[in-house]
């Protein structure tokens, strides 16, 4: 597989995951700002912008936060930017992607650009974007061959999911809104119903521990690290190995999360920070090892 093709698949996965996770987080955060007015809107907006690494702005109203985070196509940290770049990367490998995937990305792009701006309810429009992205992910799961390209896409999604979960937990909804915050955090991670089935007490600390270490939920950091390791092992089995640095990075992260037993709240915070740093290192290793500027690197036929 050519280096440029592998890179496009990797970033399709990352941008899709970023757009979906950011849309969920923004919808829930905005809902709390509107319904529970115990936190000044400028403070609540600043917390979310900081967690998403977006530049601080003088947002004094919830609607301005929507505009800032939906953003424009030039900023990859925004929803519109992430969807646009996912589509642009898909355009670069269009001859290899099933047509349904590319058409789904086009529809998600239109929903991301137009939806939150024209809709009466921003939360409704943002979840329409999430639905469109879910269609794209479904088309990928149903139609993309399980070759190196799919593994790079899966690796990108897993690393981005780890990073976005760390950003979600950095918002600390439970501290801003003690009553509704834990529910909003779980809804932003699509984990409310699964959490309730575990019968844990609905506290901020329990929610954070669940999203970090649950062994079954697909968005938990523990399971996401396992998925990333599986993708790296799959690539190595097909001859796309960097010599072991990437496998050591994701394997160590997976084992640290797997063997963390009932950590205290401050240990959970330390683990979340560690996961975000390890994810950044792993992404750097991927770029250095596999995405070279020349376009003729071949790993397999």
């Amino acid at each position: 597989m050519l280096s440029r093709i592998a890179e496009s698949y990797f970033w399709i996965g990352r941008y899709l995951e970023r757009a979906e996770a950011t849309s969920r987080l923004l919808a829930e955060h905005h809902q709390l700002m509107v319904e529970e007015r115990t936190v000044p809107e400028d403070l609540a907006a600043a917390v979310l912008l900081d967690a998403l690494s977006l530049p601080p702005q003088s947002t004094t109203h919830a609607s301005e936060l929507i505009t800032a985070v939906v953003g424009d196509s030039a900023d990859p940290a925004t929803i519109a930017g992430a969807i646009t770049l996912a589509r642009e990367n898909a355009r670069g490998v269009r001859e290899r992607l099933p047509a349904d995937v590319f058409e789904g990305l086009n529809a998600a792009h239109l929903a991301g650009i137009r939806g939150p701006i024209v809709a009466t309810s921003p939360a409704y429009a943002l979840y329409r974007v999430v639905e469109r992205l879910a269609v794209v992910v479904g088309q990928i799961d149903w139609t993309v061959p399980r070759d190196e390209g799919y593994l790079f896409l899966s690796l990108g999604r897993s690393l981005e999911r780890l990073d976005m979960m760390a950003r979600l937990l950095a918002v600390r909804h439970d501290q801003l809104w003690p009553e509704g915050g834990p529910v909003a955090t779980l809804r932003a991670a699509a984990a409310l119903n699964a959490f309730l089935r575990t019968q844990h007490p609905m506290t901020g600390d329990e929610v954070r521990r669940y999203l970090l270490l649950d062994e079954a939920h697909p968005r938990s950091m523990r399971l996401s690290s396992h998925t990333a390791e599986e993708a790296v092992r799959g690539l190595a089995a097909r001859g796309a190995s960097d010599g072991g640095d990437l496998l050591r990075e994701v394997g160590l992260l997976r084992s640290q999360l797997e063997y963390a037993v009932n950590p205290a709240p401050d240990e959970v915070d330390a683990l979340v920070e560690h996961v975000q740093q390890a994810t950044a290192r792993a992404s750097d290793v991927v770029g250095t090892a596999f995405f070279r500027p020349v376009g003729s690197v071949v790993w397999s036929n």
Side-chain angles (χ1 to χ4, degrees), residues 154-170:
S154 178
L155 177 60
R157 286 188 66 196
S158 302
L159 294 181
E160 188 69 28
R161 183 167 292 185
L162 287 163
D163 181 69
M164 288 305 302
M165 184 59 71
R167 295 177 187 276
L168 166 63
L169 296 180

Side-chain angles (χ1 to χ4, degrees), residues 40 47 85 144 183 280:
V47 169
L85 288 171
V144 175
V183 173

Side-chain angles (χ1 to χ4, degrees), residues 12 81 85 95 114 117 121 153-154 158 162 183 185 217 244 277 289:
I12 290 170
L85 288 171
E95 73 282 0
R114 299 174 180 171
I117 297 174
S121 168
L153 193 150
S154 178
S158 302
L162 287 163
V183 173
T185 299
H217 194 274
Q277 294 170 353

Side-chain angles (χ1 to χ4, degrees), residues 18-27 30 48-49 52 54-55 57 59 62-85 108-119 121-127 129-130:
R18 183 179 304 174
E20 195 262 3
T22 305
S23 298
R24 286 182 179 277
L25 174 54
L26 177 59
H30 176 268
L48 185 63
L49 292 172
L52 294 174
L54 288 168
Q57 303 182 22
T59 52
S63 62
E64 295 175 342
L65 179 64
I66 293 287
T67 302
V69 179
V70 171
D72 56 50
S73 58
D75 188 346
T78 65
I79 296 170
I83 296 175
T84 299
L85 288 171
H109 178 258
L110 293 175
I113 296 297
R114 299 174 180 171
I117 297 174
V118 302
S121 168
Y124 174 80
L126 288 166
Y127 271 103
V129 174
V130 171

Side-chain angles (χ1 to χ4, degrees), residues 205-220:
D205 289 340
E206 285 297 330
V207 166
R208 295 171 64 78
R209 189 179 293 112
Y210 175 83
L211 293 177
L212 175 68
L213 296 178
D214 187 75
E215 63 182 7
H217 194 274
R219 292 177 187 269
S220 78

Side-chain angles (χ1 to χ4, degrees), residues 63-207:
S63 62
E64 295 175 342
L65 179 64
I66 293 287
T67 302
V69 179
V70 171
D72 56 50
S73 58
D75 188 346
T78 65
I79 296 170
I83 296 175
T84 299
L85 288 171
R87 190 181 66 159
E88 289 306 306
N89 277 278
R91 190 195 302 275
V93 291
R94 190 169 182 178
E95 73 282 0
R96 296 177 62 95
L97 276 180
D100 290 342
V101 174
F102 192 77
E103 290 169 5
L105 265 172
N106 265 333
H109 178 258
L110 293 175
I113 296 297
R114 299 174 180 171
I117 297 174
V118 302
T120 303
S121 168
Y124 174 80
L126 288 166
Y127 271 103
R128 287 288 296 164
V129 174
V130 171
E131 290 174 3
R132 292 287 187 179
L133 293 171
V135 171
V136 178
V137 173
Q139 296 287 6
I140 289 171
D141 286 344
W142 294 335
T143 62
V144 175
R146 271 38 176 180
D147 56 10
E148 294 100 326
Y150 180 85
L151 290 170
F152 272 108
L153 193 150
S154 178
L155 177 60
R157 286 188 66 196
S158 302
L159 294 181
E160 188 69 28
R161 183 167 292 185
L162 287 163
D163 181 69
M164 288 305 302
M165 184 59 71
R167 295 177 187 276
L168 166 63
L169 296 180
V171 176
R172 298 304 302 253
H173 286 124
D174 56 307
Q175 292 184 354
L176 292 171
W177 295 280
E179 186 174 344
V183 173
T185 299
L186 287 167
R187 283 177 52 85
L192 178 58
N193 291 338
F195 179 87
L196 292 175
R197 284 198 297 271
T198 67
Q199 299 181 348
H200 288 295
M202 181 72 78
T203 66
D205 289 340
E206 285 297 330
V207 166

Side-chain angles (χ1 to χ4, degrees), residues 205-206 209 212-213 259-269 271:
D205 289 340
E206 285 297 330
R209 189 179 293 112
L212 175 68
L213 296 178
Y259 292 103
V261 179
N262 197 25
D266 58 336
E267 294 172 324
V268 169
D269 292 341
L271 273 171

